[in-house]
Amino acid sequence: MNASHLPPDPAAQANDGAPAFSPLYQQIKALLLQSLQQGEWKPGEVIPSEMELAARFRVSQGTVRKAVDELAAENLLVRRQGRGTFVATHAEQHVQYRFLRLVPDQGTVDNEGPARRDVVECRRQRAGADIARALGLRTGDQVLQARRVLRFAGVPTILEDLWLPAGPFKGLTAERLSDYHGPMYAMFESEFGVRMVRAEEKLRAVLPDAEQAGLLTIDTGTPLLSVERTAYTYNDVPMEFRRGLYRTDTHHYRNQLG
């Protein structure tokens, strides 16, 4: 579909005998999403002004503004007063911890400072059934599996295992993960062109096995918070499956509702 033209009017098409309808601003939003997915505007780059987009799509500025507002509310775009609208990036300070909800019992994440990340391993393997299902792959497809420990104030607090489809992350190694000092998702954006735009999580209480307890310097009877996360890029394509074990003796999981 040429992004300079609107898609066919859905109201003219029938679905199970009933006409479908998509508001005009939603059609513009879909076109903007398409441009983001195709990399027309990279993370951190400014997008055209609302006036320019209105001319491009032959709609009113109000229609464009409503589409941009929704994308900003979904953390895909960022408005900056007097500067324009930019593609959101995980490298920005205010979104670095967007998917990390563990916060210290005392003080704030900013006061605590960034975690020290120790990469234990990063290797290629074949996906088991559960990993393949989470990533939309076939059992036996190649994936990258990485394990790391996050330390806050020198204390090992989070143990993470993550799996990535091998194709989009070709060349990722433990050394590259260790040498990159920014957020991991910012690295995925800048070095592999993969932007995580949303995630789903499942939480449960678990006990660690001996190896996990050793990496977190706790005993096997210490209860941990298990967080399973599937992260998606544009169009709900799963690009990462992550299992994290969180110590909660000095931190807690915080989620803001509403």
Side-chain angles (χ1 to χ4, degrees), residues 128-168:
D130 57 338
I131 302 302
R133 184 165 48 251
L135 291 175
L137 303 173
R138 294 172 298 182
T139 300
D141 281 353
Q142 290 286 319
V143 295
L144 290 171
Q145 186 267 326
R147 168 171 278 193
R148 66 176 187 168
V149 176
L150 277 67
R151 300 173 184 269
F152 294 93
V155 178
T157 305
I158 302 175
L159 171 62
E160 290 185 323
D161 289 293
L162 57 109
W163 292 263
L164 307 164

mmCIF file of all heavy atoms in Angstrom, residues 128-168:
data_model
loop_
_atom_site.group_PDB
_atom_site.id
_atom_site.type_symbol
_atom_site.label_atom_id
_atom_site.label_comp_id
_atom_site.label_asym_id
_atom_site.label_seq_id
_atom_site.Cartn_x
_atom_site.Cartn_y
_atom_site.Cartn_z
ATOM 1 N N GLY A 128 12.545 -24.972 22.080
ATOM 2 C CA GLY A 128 11.604 -25.971 22.545
ATOM 3 C C GLY A 128 10.182 -25.528 22.252
ATOM 4 O O GLY A 128 9.941 -24.406 21.799
ATOM 5 N N ALA A 129 9.238 -26.380 22.558
ATOM 6 C CA ALA A 129 7.845 -26.099 22.203
ATOM 7 C C ALA A 129 7.324 -24.826 22.863
ATOM 8 O O ALA A 129 6.642 -24.012 22.226
ATOM 9 C CB ALA A 129 6.965 -27.286 22.568
ATOM 10 N N ASP A 130 7.647 -24.609 24.146
ATOM 11 C CA ASP A 130 7.102 -23.444 24.848
ATOM 12 C C ASP A 130 7.725 -22.145 24.346
ATOM 13 O O ASP A 130 7.019 -21.137 24.163
ATOM 14 C CB ASP A 130 7.304 -23.570 26.363
ATOM 15 C CG ASP A 130 8.759 -23.751 26.757
ATOM 16 O OD1 ASP A 130 9.570 -24.186 25.910
ATOM 17 O OD2 ASP A 130 9.100 -23.455 27.924
ATOM 18 N N ILE A 131 9.028 -22.152 24.067
ATOM 19 C CA ILE A 131 9.686 -20.950 23.548
ATOM 20 C C ILE A 131 9.203 -20.669 22.131
ATOM 21 O O ILE A 131 8.930 -19.502 21.775
ATOM 22 C CB ILE A 131 11.215 -21.112 23.571
ATOM 23 C CG1 ILE A 131 11.708 -21.404 24.998
ATOM 24 C CG2 ILE A 131 11.891 -19.876 22.999
ATOM 25 C CD1 ILE A 131 11.349 -20.345 26.007
ATOM 26 N N ALA A 132 9.091 -21.689 21.313
ATOM 27 C CA ALA A 132 8.603 -21.514 19.941
ATOM 28 C C ALA A 132 7.197 -20.937 19.935
ATOM 29 O O ALA A 132 6.885 -20.023 19.154
ATOM 30 C CB ALA A 132 8.631 -22.852 19.204
ATOM 31 N N ARG A 133 6.355 -21.424 20.818
ATOM 32 C CA ARG A 133 4.980 -20.921 20.888
ATOM 33 C C ARG A 133 4.966 -19.456 21.295
ATOM 34 O O ARG A 133 4.239 -18.641 20.711
ATOM 35 C CB ARG A 133 4.172 -21.761 21.871
ATOM 36 C CG ARG A 133 2.699 -21.412 21.963
ATOM 37 C CD ARG A 133 1.912 -22.494 22.670
ATOM 38 N NE ARG A 133 2.529 -22.913 23.918
ATOM 39 C CZ ARG A 133 3.128 -24.103 24.102
ATOM 40 N NH1 ARG A 133 3.198 -24.971 23.104
ATOM 41 N NH2 ARG A 133 3.664 -24.404 25.274
ATOM 42 N N ALA A 134 5.789 -19.084 22.259
ATOM 43 C CA ALA A 134 5.819 -17.693 22.725
ATOM 44 C C ALA A 134 6.319 -16.743 21.651
ATOM 45 O O ALA A 134 5.869 -15.594 21.569
ATOM 46 C CB ALA A 134 6.693 -17.577 23.969
ATOM 47 N N LEU A 135 7.241 -17.200 20.794
ATOM 48 C CA LEU A 135 7.840 -16.331 19.775
ATOM 49 C C LEU A 135 7.206 -16.508 18.395
ATOM 50 O O LEU A 135 7.682 -15.918 17.419
ATOM 51 C CB LEU A 135 9.345 -16.606 19.686
ATOM 52 C CG LEU A 135 10.173 -16.180 20.893
ATOM 53 C CD1 LEU A 135 11.624 -16.620 20.729
ATOM 54 C CD2 LEU A 135 10.095 -14.665 21.095
ATOM 55 N N GLY A 136 6.167 -17.315 18.299
ATOM 56 C CA GLY A 136 5.512 -17.521 17.007
ATOM 57 C C GLY A 136 6.386 -18.267 16.017
ATOM 58 O O GLY A 136 6.309 -18.034 14.802
ATOM 59 N N LEU A 137 7.244 -19.179 16.542
ATOM 60 C CA LEU A 137 8.152 -19.950 15.702
ATOM 61 C C LEU A 137 7.712 -21.412 15.662
ATOM 62 O O LEU A 137 6.742 -21.801 16.311
ATOM 63 C CB LEU A 137 9.578 -19.858 16.253
ATOM 64 C CG LEU A 137 10.171 -18.457 16.411
ATOM 65 C CD1 LEU A 137 11.523 -18.545 17.119
ATOM 66 C CD2 LEU A 137 10.321 -17.772 15.064
ATOM 67 N N ARG A 138 8.464 -22.201 14.909
ATOM 68 C CA ARG A 138 8.250 -23.641 14.910
ATOM 69 C C ARG A 138 9.221 -24.297 15.882
ATOM 70 O O ARG A 138 10.353 -23.831 16.042
ATOM 71 C CB ARG A 138 8.462 -24.220 13.510
ATOM 72 C CG ARG A 138 7.425 -23.761 12.488
ATOM 73 C CD ARG A 138 7.803 -24.221 11.103
ATOM 74 N NE ARG A 138 9.090 -23.631 10.690
ATOM 75 C CZ ARG A 138 9.647 -23.826 9.507
ATOM 76 N NH1 ARG A 138 9.062 -24.604 8.611
ATOM 77 N NH2 ARG A 138 10.809 -23.261 9.211
ATOM 78 N N THR A 139 8.794 -25.355 16.516
ATOM 79 C CA THR A 139 9.683 -26.092 17.407
ATOM 80 C C THR A 139 10.926 -26.516 16.636
ATOM 81 O O THR A 139 10.828 -27.057 15.532
ATOM 82 C CB THR A 139 8.971 -27.330 17.977
ATOM 83 O OG1 THR A 139 7.825 -26.907 18.711
ATOM 84 C CG2 THR A 139 9.891 -28.116 18.894
ATOM 85 N N GLY A 140 12.087 -26.233 17.203
ATOM 86 C CA GLY A 140 13.344 -26.560 16.539
ATOM 87 C C GLY A 140 13.961 -25.413 15.779
ATOM 88 O O GLY A 140 15.125 -25.494 15.362
ATOM 89 N N ASP A 141 13.228 -24.304 15.595
ATOM 90 C CA ASP A 141 13.814 -23.130 14.947
ATOM 91 C C ASP A 141 14.943 -22.569 15.811
ATOM 92 O O ASP A 141 14.951 -22.725 17.032
ATOM 93 C CB ASP A 141 12.749 -22.038 14.731
ATOM 94 C CG ASP A 141 11.867 -22.314 13.529
ATOM 95 O OD1 ASP A 141 12.148 -23.275 12.779
ATOM 96 O OD2 ASP A 141 10.875 -21.569 13.334
ATOM 97 N N GLN A 142 15.887 -21.884 15.166
ATOM 98 C CA GLN A 142 17.023 -21.317 15.876
ATOM 99 C C GLN A 142 16.622 -20.077 16.683
ATOM 100 O O GLN A 142 15.922 -19.199 16.178
ATOM 101 C CB GLN A 142 18.126 -20.931 14.893
ATOM 102 C CG GLN A 142 18.824 -22.122 14.246
ATOM 103 C CD GLN A 142 19.749 -22.828 15.206
ATOM 104 O OE1 GLN A 142 20.468 -22.199 15.980
ATOM 105 N NE2 GLN A 142 19.744 -24.158 15.180
ATOM 106 N N VAL A 143 17.047 -20.031 17.932
ATOM 107 C CA VAL A 143 16.847 -18.860 18.786
ATOM 108 C C VAL A 143 18.161 -18.550 19.491
ATOM 109 O O VAL A 143 19.068 -19.394 19.562
ATOM 110 C CB VAL A 143 15.732 -19.086 19.835
ATOM 111 C CG1 VAL A 143 14.381 -19.253 19.169
ATOM 112 C CG2 VAL A 143 16.057 -20.275 20.732
ATOM 113 N N LEU A 144 18.267 -17.337 20.002
ATOM 114 C CA LEU A 144 19.377 -16.954 20.867
ATOM 115 C C LEU A 144 18.872 -16.952 22.299
ATOM 116 O O LEU A 144 17.808 -16.385 22.586
ATOM 117 C CB LEU A 144 19.907 -15.571 20.496
ATOM 118 C CG LEU A 144 20.654 -15.468 19.162
ATOM 119 C CD1 LEU A 144 20.928 -14.011 18.832
ATOM 120 C CD2 LEU A 144 21.958 -16.251 19.213
ATOM 121 N N GLN A 145 19.615 -17.578 23.190
ATOM 122 C CA GLN A 145 19.248 -17.608 24.600
ATOM 123 C C GLN A 145 20.343 -16.908 25.393
ATOM 124 O O GLN A 145 21.536 -17.202 25.238
ATOM 125 C CB GLN A 145 19.079 -19.044 25.092
ATOM 126 C CG GLN A 145 18.550 -19.165 26.520
ATOM 127 C CD GLN A 145 19.655 -19.283 27.550
ATOM 128 O OE1 GLN A 145 20.699 -19.868 27.277
ATOM 129 N NE2 GLN A 145 19.436 -18.728 28.734
ATOM 130 N N ALA A 146 19.949 -15.942 26.196
ATOM 131 C CA ALA A 146 20.910 -15.200 27.012
ATOM 132 C C ALA A 146 20.476 -15.266 28.473
ATOM 133 O O ALA A 146 19.278 -15.333 28.784
ATOM 134 C CB ALA A 146 21.002 -13.749 26.558
ATOM 135 N N ARG A 147 21.449 -15.242 29.356
ATOM 136 C CA ARG A 147 21.188 -15.192 30.802
ATOM 137 C C ARG A 147 22.027 -14.074 31.385
ATOM 138 O O ARG A 147 23.202 -13.921 31.038
ATOM 139 C CB ARG A 147 21.528 -16.528 31.459
ATOM 140 C CG ARG A 147 21.556 -16.489 32.976
ATOM 141 C CD ARG A 147 21.685 -17.868 33.589
ATOM 142 N NE ARG A 147 20.378 -18.528 33.641
ATOM 143 C CZ ARG A 147 20.138 -19.634 34.355
ATOM 144 N NH1 ARG A 147 21.104 -20.216 35.050
ATOM 145 N NH2 ARG A 147 18.931 -20.174 34.365
ATOM 146 N N ARG A 148 21.416 -13.281 32.254
ATOM 147 C CA ARG A 148 22.161 -12.199 32.900
ATOM 148 C C ARG A 148 21.639 -11.982 34.315
ATOM 149 O O ARG A 148 20.493 -12.340 34.643
ATOM 150 C CB ARG A 148 22.070 -10.910 32.090
ATOM 151 C CG ARG A 148 20.674 -10.306 32.005
ATOM 152 C CD ARG A 148 20.697 -8.986 31.260
ATOM 153 N NE ARG A 148 19.406 -8.324 31.310
ATOM 154 C CZ ARG A 148 19.189 -7.059 30.943
ATOM 155 N NH1 ARG A 148 20.198 -6.329 30.478
ATOM 156 N NH2 ARG A 148 17.994 -6.512 31.039
ATOM 157 N N VAL A 149 22.480 -11.370 35.131
ATOM 158 C CA VAL A 149 22.124 -11.006 36.501
ATOM 159 C C VAL A 149 22.176 -9.496 36.616
ATOM 160 O O VAL A 149 23.157 -8.868 36.190
ATOM 161 C CB VAL A 149 23.088 -11.645 37.520
ATOM 162 C CG1 VAL A 149 22.755 -11.179 38.929
ATOM 163 C CG2 VAL A 149 23.038 -13.166 37.426
ATOM 164 N N LEU A 150 21.125 -8.894 37.172
ATOM 165 C CA LEU A 150 21.089 -7.451 37.413
ATOM 166 C C LEU A 150 21.336 -7.203 38.894
ATOM 167 O O LEU A 150 20.656 -7.782 39.750
ATOM 168 C CB LEU A 150 19.739 -6.860 36.997
ATOM 169 C CG LEU A 150 19.546 -6.526 35.509
ATOM 170 C CD1 LEU A 150 19.536 -7.791 34.661
ATOM 171 C CD2 LEU A 150 18.255 -5.745 35.292
ATOM 172 N N ARG A 151 22.329 -6.338 39.164
ATOM 173 C CA ARG A 151 22.691 -6.013 40.533
ATOM 174 C C ARG A 151 22.334 -4.559 40.831
ATOM 175 O O ARG A 151 22.673 -3.667 40.066
ATOM 176 C CB ARG A 151 24.191 -6.218 40.759
ATOM 177 C CG ARG A 151 24.671 -7.627 40.530
ATOM 178 C CD ARG A 151 26.188 -7.722 40.615
ATOM 179 N NE ARG A 151 26.662 -9.065 40.311
ATOM 180 C CZ ARG A 151 26.843 -10.024 41.213
ATOM 181 N NH1 ARG A 151 26.617 -9.749 42.496
ATOM 182 N NH2 ARG A 151 27.258 -11.212 40.865
ATOM 183 N N PHE A 152 21.664 -4.352 41.937
ATOM 184 C CA PHE A 152 21.357 -3.010 42.413
ATOM 185 C C PHE A 152 22.138 -2.787 43.713
ATOM 186 O O PHE A 152 22.034 -3.595 44.638
ATOM 187 C CB PHE A 152 19.858 -2.829 42.651
ATOM 188 C CG PHE A 152 19.042 -2.893 41.394
ATOM 189 C CD1 PHE A 152 18.470 -4.086 40.964
ATOM 190 C CD2 PHE A 152 18.850 -1.758 40.604
ATOM 191 C CE1 PHE A 152 17.730 -4.147 39.799
ATOM 192 C CE2 PHE A 152 18.111 -1.815 39.438
ATOM 193 C CZ PHE A 152 17.555 -3.003 39.035
ATOM 194 N N ALA A 153 22.911 -1.700 43.745
ATOM 195 C CA ALA A 153 23.782 -1.415 44.889
ATOM 196 C C ALA A 153 24.670 -2.607 45.212
ATOM 197 O O ALA A 153 24.950 -2.913 46.379
ATOM 198 C CB ALA A 153 22.941 -1.027 46.110
ATOM 199 N N GLY A 154 25.106 -3.301 44.165
ATOM 200 C CA GLY A 154 26.000 -4.436 44.322
ATOM 201 C C GLY A 154 25.333 -5.742 44.682
ATOM 202 O O GLY A 154 25.989 -6.787 44.736
ATOM 203 N N VAL A 155 24.021 -5.715 44.925
ATOM 204 C CA VAL A 155 23.302 -6.925 45.345
ATOM 205 C C VAL A 155 22.622 -7.567 44.139
ATOM 206 O O VAL A 155 21.832 -6.910 43.449
ATOM 207 C CB VAL A 155 22.243 -6.583 46.417
ATOM 208 C CG1 VAL A 155 21.471 -7.843 46.814
ATOM 209 C CG2 VAL A 155 22.895 -5.938 47.623
ATOM 210 N N PRO A 156 22.910 -8.859 43.838
ATOM 211 C CA PRO A 156 22.213 -9.522 42.732
ATOM 212 C C PRO A 156 20.723 -9.629 43.042
ATOM 213 O O PRO A 156 20.335 -10.282 44.012
ATOM 214 C CB PRO A 156 22.891 -10.896 42.657
ATOM 215 C CG PRO A 156 23.508 -11.109 43.996
ATOM 216 C CD PRO A 156 23.853 -9.753 44.521
ATOM 217 N N THR A 157 19.914 -8.959 42.222
ATOM 218 C CA THR A 157 18.484 -8.805 42.536
ATOM 219 C C THR A 157 17.577 -9.478 41.515
ATOM 220 O O THR A 157 16.499 -9.961 41.859
ATOM 221 C CB THR A 157 18.140 -7.306 42.629
ATOM 222 O OG1 THR A 157 19.012 -6.678 43.577
ATOM 223 C CG2 THR A 157 16.700 -7.095 43.071
ATOM 224 N N ILE A 158 17.991 -9.517 40.255
ATOM 225 C CA ILE A 158 17.180 -10.109 39.193
ATOM 226 C C ILE A 158 18.038 -11.077 38.379
ATOM 227 O O ILE A 158 19.139 -10.735 37.955
ATOM 228 C CB ILE A 158 16.604 -9.035 38.245
ATOM 229 C CG1 ILE A 158 15.760 -8.020 39.009
ATOM 230 C CG2 ILE A 158 15.767 -9.677 37.143
ATOM 231 C CD1 ILE A 158 15.267 -6.863 38.142
ATOM 232 N N LEU A 159 17.509 -12.269 38.161
ATOM 233 C CA LEU A 159 18.123 -13.231 37.254
ATOM 234 C C LEU A 159 17.188 -13.380 36.062
ATOM 235 O O LEU A 159 16.017 -13.721 36.232
ATOM 236 C CB LEU A 159 18.323 -14.580 37.942
ATOM 237 C CG LEU A 159 18.758 -15.744 37.041
ATOM 238 C CD1 LEU A 159 20.120 -15.468 36.405
ATOM 239 C CD2 LEU A 159 18.765 -17.054 37.818
ATOM 240 N N GLU A 160 17.703 -13.091 34.864
ATOM 241 C CA GLU A 160 16.875 -13.127 33.661
ATOM 242 C C GLU A 160 17.406 -14.137 32.654
ATOM 243 O O GLU A 160 18.608 -14.186 32.386
ATOM 244 C CB GLU A 160 16.830 -11.754 32.989
ATOM 245 C CG GLU A 160 16.054 -10.702 33.765
ATOM 246 C CD GLU A 160 15.938 -9.404 32.998
ATOM 247 O OE1 GLU A 160 16.913 -9.024 32.310
ATOM 248 O OE2 GLU A 160 14.890 -8.756 33.101
ATOM 249 N N ASP A 161 16.486 -14.919 32.098
ATOM 250 C CA ASP A 161 16.748 -15.737 30.923
ATOM 251 C C ASP A 161 15.864 -15.191 29.817
ATOM 252 O O ASP A 161 14.658 -14.992 30.021
ATOM 253 C CB ASP A 161 16.402 -17.201 31.183
ATOM 254 C CG ASP A 161 17.389 -17.864 32.139
ATOM 255 O OD1 ASP A 161 18.556 -18.025 31.742
ATOM 256 O OD2 ASP A 161 16.982 -18.208 33.267
ATOM 257 N N LEU A 162 16.458 -14.935 28.656
ATOM 258 C CA LEU A 162 15.649 -14.421 27.552
ATOM 259 C C LEU A 162 15.990 -15.144 26.269
ATOM 260 O O LEU A 162 17.110 -15.607 26.065
ATOM 261 C CB LEU A 162 15.831 -12.910 27.398
ATOM 262 C CG LEU A 162 17.228 -12.364 27.179
ATOM 263 C CD1 LEU A 162 17.361 -11.867 25.750
ATOM 264 C CD2 LEU A 162 17.500 -11.224 28.143
ATOM 265 N N TRP A 163 14.977 -15.226 25.411
ATOM 266 C CA TRP A 163 15.099 -15.913 24.138
ATOM 267 C C TRP A 163 14.657 -14.962 23.027
ATOM 268 O O TRP A 163 13.634 -14.281 23.143
ATOM 269 C CB TRP A 163 14.226 -17.163 24.116
ATOM 270 C CG TRP A 163 14.688 -18.247 25.048
ATOM 271 C CD1 TRP A 163 15.451 -19.333 24.738
ATOM 272 C CD2 TRP A 163 14.387 -18.371 26.447
ATOM 273 N NE1 TRP A 163 15.672 -20.111 25.843
ATOM 274 C CE2 TRP A 163 15.027 -19.542 26.912
ATOM 275 C CE3 TRP A 163 13.656 -17.589 27.351
ATOM 276 C CZ2 TRP A 163 14.950 -19.959 28.228
ATOM 277 C CZ3 TRP A 163 13.576 -18.000 28.659
ATOM 278 C CH2 TRP A 163 14.215 -19.182 29.099
ATOM 279 N N LEU A 164 15.434 -14.942 21.943
ATOM 280 C CA LEU A 164 15.179 -14.061 20.800
ATOM 281 C C LEU A 164 15.207 -14.888 19.523
ATOM 282 O O LEU A 164 16.027 -15.815 19.404
ATOM 283 C CB LEU A 164 16.257 -12.972 20.708
ATOM 284 C CG LEU A 164 16.518 -12.133 21.949
ATOM 285 C CD1 LEU A 164 17.845 -11.403 21.804
ATOM 286 C CD2 LEU A 164 15.388 -11.137 22.162
ATOM 287 N N PRO A 165 14.355 -14.578 18.538
ATOM 288 C CA PRO A 165 14.477 -15.262 17.247
ATOM 289 C C PRO A 165 15.845 -14.978 16.641
ATOM 290 O O PRO A 165 16.303 -13.826 16.638
ATOM 291 C CB PRO A 165 13.339 -14.674 16.415
ATOM 292 C CG PRO A 165 12.976 -13.389 17.088
ATOM 293 C CD PRO A 165 13.285 -13.564 18.538
ATOM 294 N N ALA A 166 16.514 -15.999 16.135
ATOM 295 C CA ALA A 166 17.905 -15.851 15.712
ATOM 296 C C ALA A 166 18.051 -14.921 14.504
ATOM 297 O O ALA A 166 19.027 -14.170 14.419
ATOM 298 C CB ALA A 166 18.499 -17.223 15.390
ATOM 299 N N GLY A 167 17.098 -14.952 13.583
ATOM 300 C CA GLY A 167 17.225 -14.178 12.349
ATOM 301 C C GLY A 167 17.427 -12.685 12.564
ATOM 302 O O GLY A 167 18.433 -12.114 12.124
ATOM 303 N N PRO A 168 16.499 -11.997 13.241
ATOM 304 C CA PRO A 168 16.632 -10.549 13.427
ATOM 305 C C PRO A 168 17.819 -10.142 14.296
ATOM 306 O O PRO A 168 18.256 -8.992 14.244
ATOM 307 C CB PRO A 168 15.304 -10.156 14.094
ATOM 308 C CG PRO A 168 14.361 -11.268 13.782
ATOM 309 C CD PRO A 168 15.203 -12.487 13.733
#
